[in-house]
Amino acid sequence: MFCTEDAVRIAGQRQPKVIFDFIEGASGREVAATRNQSRFDEITLQQRVMENVDRRNLSKTFLGQKYNLPFGIAPMGMCNLAWPDTDSALAQAATNYNIPICLSSAASSTIKEMRDWAGENAWFQLYVGGSMELSLELVERARTEGYKTLVLTVDVPQVSRRLRDLRNGFTMPFRLGPRLLWDFATHPRWSLTSIWHGAPSPKNFKLGKNGTHFDRNASRAGANWNFLEKLRASWTGNLVIKGVTSARDAIRIKQAGADAIYVSNHGGRQLDSAPAAIDALPKIRNAVGADYPLLFDSGVRNGEDIVKALAMGADFVMIGRPMLFAMGADGAKGLNSLIKIFAEDTSLTLAQTGLNDITAVSPDILSNNTSAVEQLQQPLLKTATS
Ligand SMILES: Cc1cc2nc3c(=O)[nH]c(=O)nc-3n(C[C@H](O)[C@H](O)[C@H](O)COP(=O)(O)O)c2cc1C
């Protein structure tokens, strides 16, 4: 396995189709998901020569914590479907490489388990779904366990229609029919190990005081402006708002006192006509100013993409699907390989662009000046000349 695309291919052979499609799939015709990646390919970086780039630093501080790499693991529900024990493997990797891992509300491991495994590197992502009471209980549990960073996801007012899941009959828990049984029977490695480890379920919801179950299709629109105000008043740790692509929303979120904005279109899993997240990024950077912390995901598939996202205005980058494909391809070994590949690729990109420190990445290294990029570069040029 030498790149994300290898991981996708191998995971596609080893995971049942219903699982692979759940991970790779997106909303509608999957235009947004495709565009997320194709827009990355259109961005070009300016190669620089004859710089002293023998030694290169990849470590970055984000929201007061120093990480060894400029990227972390995005929140994803039901990761243990990708391969048994994915959550603990992700946590182990986050500890080994000193990168953040964000546990989803809909995770197949508990808030406590993740904190025990990943310590200070664990963040918690909150969905305000179905029951407000349970959502607040999740925040309380995160606080009790000592989480410092809470990520509130706001781009799922309603779960979108994901055609692959509908066609495959993907439901939680599984409703086993002949097609699903055949799918599992023809992927014995995944199926036997999954049977051995027990079927994954959204564990945090099961533990709710009232025994509330997670309803994937319930509205998650409780995460509104009013809720943000209350959450900001009660959560004293870092508060990050995830799923923002509008500059106007970004300004309001900053005004509401959030510590960071997480620019993302959910990997194209929500609005199929959404702009590519990477196109929204420079606009949001312009709107919130140079110093406001921005996190980014959606469509990042290699180290060059990471450097591009940083150059387009992100302070830190999160990786979604590739982590689950790496697990599906070769379990924890695959995950470790892919993280190493991402790190090496990022470092090599620094060398090619004449830089030896990830913190030196700026819009200056972008070579195709679209208007958004020009806007980003203008203040930079002004500061450089003043
Ligand atoms: C299988 C899967 C489950 C996800 N579950 C969540 C979730 O529970 N909460 C959340 O905020 N985002 C969730 N996301 C979105 C990711 O956090 C991230 O925004 C997205 O994967 C980025 O796109 P990319 O994977 O194409 O790079 C999920 C994504 C996938 C692929």
Side-chain angles (χ1 to χ4, degrees), residues 22-23 36-37 74-77 104-106 125 127 153 155 220 242 262 264-269 297-301 318-322 324:
F22 162 66
I23 296 166
N36 278 341
Q37 288 181 56
M76 288 175 283
S104 158
S105 282
Q125 175 268 326
Y127 271 136
T153 298
D155 60 359
R220 301 176 199 174
K242 175 174 188 274
Y262 190 148
S264 164
N265 66 10
H266 219 101
R269 289 163 83 85
D297 79 20
S298 294
V300 178
R301 294 295 178 268
M318 300 294 266
I319 314 295
R321 290 178 179 93
L324 298 189

PDB file of all heavy atoms in Angstrom, residues 22-23 36-37 74-77 104-106 125 127 153 155 220 242 262 264-269 297-301 318-322 324, ligand 1:
ATOM      1  N   PHE A  22     -20.813   2.363   2.588  1.00  0.00           N
ATOM      2  CA  PHE A  22     -21.165   3.263   3.693  1.00  0.00           C
ATOM      3  C   PHE A  22     -20.034   4.277   3.898  1.00  0.00           C
ATOM      4  O   PHE A  22     -20.269   5.469   4.129  1.00  0.00           O
ATOM      5  CB  PHE A  22     -21.416   2.451   4.974  1.00  0.00           C
ATOM      6  CG  PHE A  22     -21.366   3.286   6.237  1.00  0.00           C
ATOM      7  CD1 PHE A  22     -22.319   4.264   6.483  1.00  0.00           C
ATOM      8  CD2 PHE A  22     -20.346   3.102   7.182  1.00  0.00           C
ATOM      9  CE1 PHE A  22     -22.262   5.051   7.651  1.00  0.00           C
ATOM     10  CE2 PHE A  22     -20.286   3.874   8.334  1.00  0.00           C
ATOM     11  CZ  PHE A  22     -21.249   4.854   8.564  1.00  0.00           C
ATOM     12  N   ILE A  23     -18.795   3.793   3.789  1.00  0.00           N
ATOM     13  CA  ILE A  23     -17.648   4.682   4.027  1.00  0.00           C
ATOM     14  C   ILE A  23     -17.393   5.575   2.811  1.00  0.00           C
ATOM     15  O   ILE A  23     -17.270   6.796   2.934  1.00  0.00           O
ATOM     16  CB  ILE A  23     -16.384   3.847   4.366  1.00  0.00           C
ATOM     17  CG1 ILE A  23     -16.614   3.096   5.681  1.00  0.00           C
ATOM     18  CG2 ILE A  23     -15.139   4.735   4.449  1.00  0.00           C
ATOM     19  CD1 ILE A  23     -15.618   1.994   5.953  1.00  0.00           C
ATOM     20  N   ASN A  36     -14.829  17.678  -4.231  1.00  0.00           N
ATOM     21  CA  ASN A  36     -13.858  17.923  -3.148  1.00  0.00           C
ATOM     22  C   ASN A  36     -12.457  17.533  -3.587  1.00  0.00           C
ATOM     23  O   ASN A  36     -11.487  18.229  -3.318  1.00  0.00           O
ATOM     24  CB  ASN A  36     -14.224  17.096  -1.906  1.00  0.00           C
ATOM     25  CG  ASN A  36     -15.295  17.753  -1.063  1.00  0.00           C
ATOM     26  OD1 ASN A  36     -15.540  18.957  -1.178  1.00  0.00           O
ATOM     27  ND2 ASN A  36     -15.933  16.973  -0.205  1.00  0.00           N
ATOM     28  N   GLN A  37     -12.367  16.371  -4.253  1.00  0.00           N
ATOM     29  CA  GLN A  37     -11.046  15.897  -4.644  1.00  0.00           C
ATOM     30  C   GLN A  37     -10.558  16.545  -5.931  1.00  0.00           C
ATOM     31  O   GLN A  37      -9.389  16.909  -6.053  1.00  0.00           O
ATOM     32  CB  GLN A  37     -11.072  14.379  -4.819  1.00  0.00           C
ATOM     33  CG  GLN A  37     -11.184  13.658  -3.496  1.00  0.00           C
ATOM     34  CD  GLN A  37     -11.195  12.157  -3.666  1.00  0.00           C
ATOM     35  OE1 GLN A  37     -10.295  11.578  -4.248  1.00  0.00           O
ATOM     36  NE2 GLN A  37     -12.216  11.526  -3.150  1.00  0.00           N
ATOM     37  N   ALA A  74     -10.351  12.751  11.608  1.00  0.00           N
ATOM     38  CA  ALA A  74     -11.678  13.379  11.637  1.00  0.00           C
ATOM     39  C   ALA A  74     -12.671  12.493  12.399  1.00  0.00           C
ATOM     40  O   ALA A  74     -12.505  11.267  12.453  1.00  0.00           O
ATOM     41  CB  ALA A  74     -12.171  13.597  10.207  1.00  0.00           C
ATOM     42  N   PRO A  75     -13.718  13.114  12.965  1.00  0.00           N
ATOM     43  CA  PRO A  75     -14.719  12.294  13.663  1.00  0.00           C
ATOM     44  C   PRO A  75     -15.542  11.469  12.672  1.00  0.00           C
ATOM     45  O   PRO A  75     -16.050  12.002  11.686  1.00  0.00           O
ATOM     46  CB  PRO A  75     -15.614  13.342  14.341  1.00  0.00           C
ATOM     47  CG  PRO A  75     -15.466  14.577  13.510  1.00  0.00           C
ATOM     48  CD  PRO A  75     -14.068  14.536  12.980  1.00  0.00           C
ATOM     49  N   MET A  76     -15.632  10.179  12.933  1.00  0.00           N
ATOM     50  CA  MET A  76     -16.443   9.323  12.053  1.00  0.00           C
ATOM     51  C   MET A  76     -17.213   8.320  12.914  1.00  0.00           C
ATOM     52  O   MET A  76     -16.633   7.685  13.798  1.00  0.00           O
ATOM     53  CB  MET A  76     -15.548   8.611  11.034  1.00  0.00           C
ATOM     54  CG  MET A  76     -15.020   9.565   9.964  1.00  0.00           C
ATOM     55  SD  MET A  76     -13.862   8.803   8.833  1.00  0.00           S
ATOM     56  CE  MET A  76     -12.396   8.743   9.825  1.00  0.00           C
ATOM     57  N   GLY A  77     -18.515   8.230  12.634  1.00  0.00           N
ATOM     58  CA  GLY A  77     -19.358   7.325  13.394  1.00  0.00           C
ATOM     59  C   GLY A  77     -19.100   5.886  12.987  1.00  0.00           C
ATOM     60  O   GLY A  77     -18.712   5.605  11.851  1.00  0.00           O
ATOM     61  N   SER A 104     -16.456  10.482  17.468  1.00  0.00           N
ATOM     62  CA  SER A 104     -17.803  10.916  17.074  1.00  0.00           C
ATOM     63  C   SER A 104     -18.822  10.574  18.160  1.00  0.00           C
ATOM     64  O   SER A 104     -18.671   9.578  18.881  1.00  0.00           O
ATOM     65  CB  SER A 104     -18.184  10.197  15.774  1.00  0.00           C
ATOM     66  OG  SER A 104     -19.575  10.169  15.611  1.00  0.00           O
ATOM     67  N   SER A 105     -19.886  11.373  18.228  1.00  0.00           N
ATOM     68  CA  SER A 105     -21.026  11.015  19.094  1.00  0.00           C
ATOM     69  C   SER A 105     -21.532   9.618  18.750  1.00  0.00           C
ATOM     70  O   SER A 105     -21.970   8.867  19.611  1.00  0.00           O
ATOM     71  CB  SER A 105     -22.198  11.967  18.849  1.00  0.00           C
ATOM     72  OG  SER A 105     -22.009  13.189  19.477  1.00  0.00           O
ATOM     73  N   ALA A 106     -21.490   9.314  17.439  1.00  0.00           N
ATOM     74  CA  ALA A 106     -22.029   8.036  16.958  1.00  0.00           C
ATOM     75  C   ALA A 106     -20.946   6.962  16.875  1.00  0.00           C
ATOM     76  O   ALA A 106     -21.037   6.034  16.073  1.00  0.00           O
ATOM     77  CB  ALA A 106     -22.668   8.248  15.586  1.00  0.00           C
ATOM     78  N   GLN A 125     -16.629  14.896  19.446  1.00  0.00           N
ATOM     79  CA  GLN A 125     -17.542  15.559  18.502  1.00  0.00           C
ATOM     80  C   GLN A 125     -18.977  15.335  18.935  1.00  0.00           C
ATOM     81  O   GLN A 125     -19.397  14.206  19.193  1.00  0.00           O
ATOM     82  CB  GLN A 125     -17.321  14.997  17.081  1.00  0.00           C
ATOM     83  CG  GLN A 125     -18.276  15.516  16.022  1.00  0.00           C
ATOM     84  CD  GLN A 125     -19.517  14.632  15.863  1.00  0.00           C
ATOM     85  OE1 GLN A 125     -19.424  13.417  16.008  1.00  0.00           O
ATOM     86  NE2 GLN A 125     -20.655  15.234  15.583  1.00  0.00           N
ATOM     87  N   TYR A 127     -23.108  15.617  18.309  1.00  0.00           N
ATOM     88  CA  TYR A 127     -24.311  15.791  17.490  1.00  0.00           C
ATOM     89  C   TYR A 127     -25.444  16.128  18.436  1.00  0.00           C
ATOM     90  O   TYR A 127     -25.585  15.483  19.487  1.00  0.00           O
ATOM     91  CB  TYR A 127     -24.680  14.484  16.779  1.00  0.00           C
ATOM     92  CG  TYR A 127     -24.049  14.286  15.431  1.00  0.00           C
ATOM     93  CD1 TYR A 127     -23.500  13.053  15.079  1.00  0.00           C
ATOM     94  CD2 TYR A 127     -24.030  15.305  14.480  1.00  0.00           C
ATOM     95  CE1 TYR A 127     -22.934  12.838  13.834  1.00  0.00           C
ATOM     96  CE2 TYR A 127     -23.461  15.108  13.240  1.00  0.00           C
ATOM     97  CZ  TYR A 127     -22.914  13.883  12.913  1.00  0.00           C
ATOM     98  OH  TYR A 127     -22.363  13.672  11.684  1.00  0.00           O
ATOM     99  N   THR A 153     -20.838  19.521  15.555  1.00  0.00           N
ATOM    100  CA  THR A 153     -21.113  19.406  14.114  1.00  0.00           C
ATOM    101  C   THR A 153     -22.474  20.015  13.800  1.00  0.00           C
ATOM    102  O   THR A 153     -23.483  19.660  14.417  1.00  0.00           O
ATOM    103  CB  THR A 153     -21.060  17.930  13.669  1.00  0.00           C
ATOM    104  OG1 THR A 153     -19.735  17.453  13.905  1.00  0.00           O
ATOM    105  CG2 THR A 153     -21.389  17.774  12.194  1.00  0.00           C
ATOM    106  N   ASP A 155     -23.568  20.679  10.342  1.00  0.00           N
ATOM    107  CA  ASP A 155     -24.009  20.578   8.943  1.00  0.00           C
ATOM    108  C   ASP A 155     -24.903  19.357   8.681  1.00  0.00           C
ATOM    109  O   ASP A 155     -25.053  18.920   7.541  1.00  0.00           O
ATOM    110  CB  ASP A 155     -22.803  20.600   7.980  1.00  0.00           C
ATOM    111  CG  ASP A 155     -21.838  19.444   8.221  1.00  0.00           C
ATOM    112  OD1 ASP A 155     -22.076  18.630   9.145  1.00  0.00           O
ATOM    113  OD2 ASP A 155     -20.837  19.349   7.493  1.00  0.00           O
ATOM    114  N   ARG A 220     -30.932  16.535  13.417  1.00  0.00           N
ATOM    115  CA  ARG A 220     -29.870  16.991  14.332  1.00  0.00           C
ATOM    116  C   ARG A 220     -29.829  18.521  14.326  1.00  0.00           C
ATOM    117  O   ARG A 220     -28.800  19.144  14.506  1.00  0.00           O
ATOM    118  CB  ARG A 220     -28.530  16.396  13.910  1.00  0.00           C
ATOM    119  CG  ARG A 220     -28.593  14.868  13.932  1.00  0.00           C
ATOM    120  CD  ARG A 220     -27.333  14.189  13.444  1.00  0.00           C
ATOM    121  NE  ARG A 220     -27.631  12.807  13.080  1.00  0.00           N
ATOM    122  CZ  ARG A 220     -26.777  11.980  12.509  1.00  0.00           C
ATOM    123  NH1 ARG A 220     -25.551  12.369  12.254  1.00  0.00           N
ATOM    124  NH2 ARG A 220     -27.133  10.746  12.187  1.00  0.00           N
ATOM    125  N   LYS A 242     -18.007  22.552  13.536  1.00  0.00           N
ATOM    126  CA  LYS A 242     -17.659  21.769  12.334  1.00  0.00           C
ATOM    127  C   LYS A 242     -18.774  21.767  11.290  1.00  0.00           C
ATOM    128  O   LYS A 242     -19.947  21.598  11.624  1.00  0.00           O
ATOM    129  CB  LYS A 242     -17.367  20.318  12.730  1.00  0.00           C
ATOM    130  CG  LYS A 242     -17.103  19.393  11.542  1.00  0.00           C
ATOM    131  CD  LYS A 242     -16.679  18.007  11.987  1.00  0.00           C
ATOM    132  CE  LYS A 242     -16.242  17.155  10.809  1.00  0.00           C
ATOM    133  NZ  LYS A 242     -17.345  16.474  10.138  1.00  0.00           N
ATOM    134  N   TYR A 262     -14.283  24.694  11.858  1.00  0.00           N
ATOM    135  CA  TYR A 262     -13.837  23.504  11.136  1.00  0.00           C
ATOM    136  C   TYR A 262     -14.524  23.555   9.775  1.00  0.00           C
ATOM    137  O   TYR A 262     -15.695  23.223   9.637  1.00  0.00           O
ATOM    138  CB  TYR A 262     -14.276  22.296  11.957  1.00  0.00           C
ATOM    139  CG  TYR A 262     -13.791  20.914  11.607  1.00  0.00           C
ATOM    140  CD1 TYR A 262     -13.596  19.967  12.609  1.00  0.00           C
ATOM    141  CD2 TYR A 262     -13.566  20.500  10.296  1.00  0.00           C
ATOM    142  CE1 TYR A 262     -13.191  18.664  12.345  1.00  0.00           C
ATOM    143  CE2 TYR A 262     -13.143  19.208  10.012  1.00  0.00           C
ATOM    144  CZ  TYR A 262     -12.960  18.297  11.040  1.00  0.00           C
ATOM    145  OH  TYR A 262     -12.572  17.003  10.766  1.00  0.00           O
ATOM    146  N   SER A 264     -15.635  22.368   6.394  1.00  0.00           N
ATOM    147  CA  SER A 264     -15.872  20.997   5.933  1.00  0.00           C
ATOM    148  C   SER A 264     -17.241  20.940   5.274  1.00  0.00           C
ATOM    149  O   SER A 264     -18.153  21.654   5.696  1.00  0.00           O
ATOM    150  CB  SER A 264     -15.864  20.056   7.160  1.00  0.00           C
ATOM    151  OG  SER A 264     -16.446  18.799   6.861  1.00  0.00           O
ATOM    152  N   ASN A 265     -17.378  20.111   4.242  1.00  0.00           N
ATOM    153  CA  ASN A 265     -18.737  19.842   3.757  1.00  0.00           C
ATOM    154  C   ASN A 265     -19.106  18.372   4.024  1.00  0.00           C
ATOM    155  O   ASN A 265     -19.838  17.766   3.263  1.00  0.00           O
ATOM    156  CB  ASN A 265     -18.917  20.250   2.291  1.00  0.00           C
ATOM    157  CG  ASN A 265     -18.080  19.411   1.338  1.00  0.00           C
ATOM    158  OD1 ASN A 265     -17.491  18.395   1.737  1.00  0.00           O
ATOM    159  ND2 ASN A 265     -18.012  19.809   0.082  1.00  0.00           N
ATOM    160  N   HIS A 266     -18.528  17.847   5.095  1.00  0.00           N
ATOM    161  CA  HIS A 266     -18.848  16.490   5.540  1.00  0.00           C
ATOM    162  C   HIS A 266     -18.439  15.462   4.484  1.00  0.00           C
ATOM    163  O   HIS A 266     -19.092  14.435   4.309  1.00  0.00           O
ATOM    164  CB  HIS A 266     -20.349  16.392   5.842  1.00  0.00           C
ATOM    165  CG  HIS A 266     -20.670  15.570   7.058  1.00  0.00           C
ATOM    166  ND1 HIS A 266     -20.976  16.128   8.268  1.00  0.00           N
ATOM    167  CD2 HIS A 266     -20.752  14.227   7.248  1.00  0.00           C
ATOM    168  CE1 HIS A 266     -21.234  15.166   9.146  1.00  0.00           C
ATOM    169  NE2 HIS A 266     -21.097  14.004   8.550  1.00  0.00           N
ATOM    170  N   GLY A 267     -17.398  15.790   3.736  1.00  0.00           N
ATOM    171  CA  GLY A 267     -16.946  14.855   2.697  1.00  0.00           C
ATOM    172  C   GLY A 267     -17.999  14.632   1.633  1.00  0.00           C
ATOM    173  O   GLY A 267     -18.047  13.567   1.009  1.00  0.00           O
ATOM    174  N   GLY A 268     -18.846  15.663   1.405  1.00  0.00           N
ATOM    175  CA  GLY A 268     -19.882  15.522   0.380  1.00  0.00           C
ATOM    176  C   GLY A 268     -21.012  14.595   0.804  1.00  0.00           C
ATOM    177  O   GLY A 268     -21.787  14.134  -0.034  1.00  0.00           O
ATOM    178  N   ARG A 269     -21.124  14.339   2.078  1.00  0.00           N
ATOM    179  CA  ARG A 269     -22.160  13.408   2.541  1.00  0.00           C
ATOM    180  C   ARG A 269     -23.461  14.119   2.904  1.00  0.00           C
ATOM    181  O   ARG A 269     -24.409  13.490   3.338  1.00  0.00           O
ATOM    182  CB  ARG A 269     -21.639  12.616   3.757  1.00  0.00           C
ATOM    183  CG  ARG A 269     -20.582  11.609   3.366  1.00  0.00           C
ATOM    184  CD  ARG A 269     -19.775  11.135   4.567  1.00  0.00           C
ATOM    185  NE  ARG A 269     -20.386  10.073   5.340  1.00  0.00           N
ATOM    186  CZ  ARG A 269     -20.277   8.778   5.053  1.00  0.00           C
ATOM    187  NH1 ARG A 269     -19.617   8.396   3.991  1.00  0.00           N
ATOM    188  NH2 ARG A 269     -20.843   7.872   5.831  1.00  0.00           N
ATOM    189  N   ASP A 297     -11.321  19.798   6.624  1.00  0.00           N
ATOM    190  CA  ASP A 297     -11.326  18.466   6.002  1.00  0.00           C
ATOM    191  C   ASP A 297     -12.244  18.454   4.798  1.00  0.00           C
ATOM    192  O   ASP A 297     -12.901  19.457   4.499  1.00  0.00           O
ATOM    193  CB  ASP A 297     -11.680  17.341   6.996  1.00  0.00           C
ATOM    194  CG  ASP A 297     -13.172  17.195   7.312  1.00  0.00           C
ATOM    195  OD1 ASP A 297     -14.025  17.670   6.536  1.00  0.00           O
ATOM    196  OD2 ASP A 297     -13.480  16.568   8.347  1.00  0.00           O
ATOM    197  N   SER A 298     -12.272  17.336   4.132  1.00  0.00           N
ATOM    198  CA  SER A 298     -13.096  17.032   2.950  1.00  0.00           C
ATOM    199  C   SER A 298     -12.254  16.986   1.673  1.00  0.00           C
ATOM    200  O   SER A 298     -11.942  18.004   1.077  1.00  0.00           O
ATOM    201  CB  SER A 298     -14.253  18.013   2.759  1.00  0.00           C
ATOM    202  OG  SER A 298     -15.174  17.870   3.831  1.00  0.00           O
ATOM    203  N   GLY A 299     -11.879  15.765   1.319  1.00  0.00           N
ATOM    204  CA  GLY A 299     -11.186  15.537   0.053  1.00  0.00           C
ATOM    205  C   GLY A 299      -9.678  15.411   0.168  1.00  0.00           C
ATOM    206  O   GLY A 299      -9.006  15.243  -0.853  1.00  0.00           O
ATOM    207  N   VAL A 300      -9.139  15.472   1.385  1.00  0.00           N
ATOM    208  CA  VAL A 300      -7.674  15.373   1.541  1.00  0.00           C
ATOM    209  C   VAL A 300      -7.261  13.910   1.340  1.00  0.00           C
ATOM    210  O   VAL A 300      -7.743  13.025   2.060  1.00  0.00           O
ATOM    211  CB  VAL A 300      -7.248  15.856   2.944  1.00  0.00           C
ATOM    212  CG1 VAL A 300      -5.738  15.717   3.131  1.00  0.00           C
ATOM    213  CG2 VAL A 300      -7.695  17.300   3.162  1.00  0.00           C
ATOM    214  N   ARG A 301      -6.392  13.659   0.385  1.00  0.00           N
ATOM    215  CA  ARG A 301      -6.022  12.278   0.069  1.00  0.00           C
ATOM    216  C   ARG A 301      -4.525  12.021   0.079  1.00  0.00           C
ATOM    217  O   ARG A 301      -4.080  10.899  -0.123  1.00  0.00           O
ATOM    218  CB  ARG A 301      -6.576  11.891  -1.326  1.00  0.00           C
ATOM    219  CG  ARG A 301      -8.107  11.849  -1.378  1.00  0.00           C
ATOM    220  CD  ARG A 301      -8.665  10.755  -0.478  1.00  0.00           C
ATOM    221  NE  ARG A 301     -10.105  10.707  -0.452  1.00  0.00           N
ATOM    222  CZ  ARG A 301     -10.882  11.347   0.433  1.00  0.00           C
ATOM    223  NH1 ARG A 301     -10.330  12.087   1.373  1.00  0.00           N
ATOM    224  NH2 ARG A 301     -12.193  11.236   0.396  1.00  0.00           N
ATOM    225  N   MET A 318      -7.713  17.691   8.933  1.00  0.00           N
ATOM    226  CA  MET A 318      -8.199  16.412   9.450  1.00  0.00           C
ATOM    227  C   MET A 318      -8.418  15.450   8.279  1.00  0.00           C
ATOM    228  O   MET A 318      -8.841  15.842   7.185  1.00  0.00           O
ATOM    229  CB  MET A 318      -9.498  16.603  10.227  1.00  0.00           C
ATOM    230  CG  MET A 318      -9.352  17.533  11.419  1.00  0.00           C
ATOM    231  SD  MET A 318      -8.276  16.887  12.728  1.00  0.00           S
ATOM    232  CE  MET A 318      -9.477  16.096  13.794  1.00  0.00           C
ATOM    233  N   ILE A 319      -8.147  14.170   8.541  1.00  0.00           N
ATOM    234  CA  ILE A 319      -8.255  13.140   7.494  1.00  0.00           C
ATOM    235  C   ILE A 319      -9.433  12.231   7.843  1.00  0.00           C
ATOM    236  O   ILE A 319      -9.510  11.720   8.961  1.00  0.00           O
ATOM    237  CB  ILE A 319      -6.959  12.288   7.414  1.00  0.00           C
ATOM    238  CG1 ILE A 319      -5.703  13.172   7.432  1.00  0.00           C
ATOM    239  CG2 ILE A 319      -6.981  11.385   6.184  1.00  0.00           C
ATOM    240  CD1 ILE A 319      -5.513  14.079   6.258  1.00  0.00           C
ATOM    241  N   GLY A 320     -10.318  12.034   6.890  1.00  0.00           N
ATOM    242  CA  GLY A 320     -11.504  11.218   7.129  1.00  0.00           C
ATOM    243  C   GLY A 320     -11.387   9.835   6.520  1.00  0.00           C
ATOM    244  O   GLY A 320     -10.661   8.954   7.024  1.00  0.00           O
ATOM    245  N   ARG A 321     -12.082   9.654   5.397  1.00  0.00           N
ATOM    246  CA  ARG A 321     -12.185   8.308   4.789  1.00  0.00           C
ATOM    247  C   ARG A 321     -10.861   7.549   4.654  1.00  0.00           C
ATOM    248  O   ARG A 321     -10.837   6.330   4.888  1.00  0.00           O
ATOM    249  CB  ARG A 321     -12.837   8.424   3.408  1.00  0.00           C
ATOM    250  CG  ARG A 321     -14.336   8.785   3.442  1.00  0.00           C
ATOM    251  CD  ARG A 321     -14.823   8.904   2.008  1.00  0.00           C
ATOM    252  NE  ARG A 321     -16.219   9.211   1.859  1.00  0.00           N
ATOM    253  CZ  ARG A 321     -16.711  10.446   1.732  1.00  0.00           C
ATOM    254  NH1 ARG A 321     -15.892  11.490   1.797  1.00  0.00           N
ATOM    255  NH2 ARG A 321     -18.004  10.627   1.547  1.00  0.00           N
ATOM    256  N   PRO A 322      -9.755   8.202   4.234  1.00  0.00           N
ATOM    257  CA  PRO A 322      -8.531   7.407   4.029  1.00  0.00           C
ATOM    258  C   PRO A 322      -8.147   6.569   5.249  1.00  0.00           C
ATOM    259  O   PRO A 322      -7.642   5.445   5.103  1.00  0.00           O
ATOM    260  CB  PRO A 322      -7.464   8.487   3.740  1.00  0.00           C
ATOM    261  CG  PRO A 322      -8.241   9.594   3.099  1.00  0.00           C
ATOM    262  CD  PRO A 322      -9.553   9.615   3.821  1.00  0.00           C
ATOM    263  N   LEU A 324     -10.141   5.091   7.332  1.00  0.00           N
ATOM    264  CA  LEU A 324     -10.987   3.882   7.399  1.00  0.00           C
ATOM    265  C   LEU A 324     -10.660   2.914   6.257  1.00  0.00           C
ATOM    266  O   LEU A 324     -10.750   1.690   6.431  1.00  0.00           O
ATOM    267  CB  LEU A 324     -12.469   4.267   7.384  1.00  0.00           C
ATOM    268  CG  LEU A 324     -12.950   5.119   8.560  1.00  0.00           C
ATOM    269  CD1 LEU A 324     -14.474   5.243   8.548  1.00  0.00           C
ATOM    270  CD2 LEU A 324     -12.496   4.542   9.901  1.00  0.00           C
TER     271      LEU A 324
HETATM  272  C1  LIG B   1     -18.073   6.774   7.568  1.00  0.00           C
HETATM  273  C2  LIG B   1     -18.113   8.217   7.954  1.00  0.00           C
HETATM  274  C3  LIG B   1     -18.741   8.586   9.119  1.00  0.00           C
HETATM  275  C4  LIG B   1     -18.773   9.928   9.503  1.00  0.00           C
HETATM  276  N1  LIG B   1     -19.344  10.265  10.692  1.00  0.00           N
HETATM  277  C5  LIG B   1     -19.245  11.539  11.135  1.00  0.00           C
HETATM  278  C6  LIG B   1     -19.719  11.872  12.424  1.00  0.00           C
HETATM  279  O1  LIG B   1     -20.191  11.027  13.162  1.00  0.00           O
HETATM  280  N2  LIG B   1     -19.598  13.167  12.817  1.00  0.00           N
HETATM  281  C7  LIG B   1     -19.054  14.140  12.015  1.00  0.00           C
HETATM  282  O2  LIG B   1     -18.973  15.303  12.415  1.00  0.00           O
HETATM  283  N3  LIG B   1     -18.596  13.831  10.784  1.00  0.00           N
HETATM  284  C8  LIG B   1     -18.668  12.566  10.338  1.00  0.00           C
HETATM  285  N4  LIG B   1     -18.159  12.249   9.105  1.00  0.00           N
HETATM  286  C9  LIG B   1     -17.515  13.288   8.288  1.00  0.00           C
HETATM  287  C10 LIG B   1     -16.017  13.376   8.584  1.00  0.00           C
HETATM  288  O3  LIG B   1     -15.773  13.903   9.857  1.00  0.00           O
HETATM  289  C11 LIG B   1     -15.299  14.297   7.575  1.00  0.00           C
HETATM  290  O4  LIG B   1     -15.917  15.550   7.580  1.00  0.00           O
HETATM  291  C12 LIG B   1     -15.307  13.720   6.156  1.00  0.00           C
HETATM  292  O5  LIG B   1     -15.021  12.347   6.175  1.00  0.00           O
HETATM  293  C13 LIG B   1     -14.265  14.446   5.322  1.00  0.00           C
HETATM  294  O6  LIG B   1     -14.319  14.037   4.001  1.00  0.00           O
HETATM  295  P1  LIG B   1     -13.249  12.993   3.374  1.00  0.00           P
HETATM  296  O7  LIG B   1     -13.362  11.760   4.159  1.00  0.00           O
HETATM  297  O8  LIG B   1     -13.714  12.788   1.970  1.00  0.00           O
HETATM  298  O9  LIG B   1     -11.913  13.653   3.430  1.00  0.00           O
HETATM  299  C14 LIG B   1     -18.161  10.917   8.682  1.00  0.00           C
HETATM  300  C15 LIG B   1     -17.536  10.523   7.503  1.00  0.00           C
HETATM  301  C16 LIG B   1     -17.496   9.193   7.131  1.00  0.00           C
HETATM  302  C17 LIG B   1     -16.783   8.809   5.871  1.00  0.00           C
END
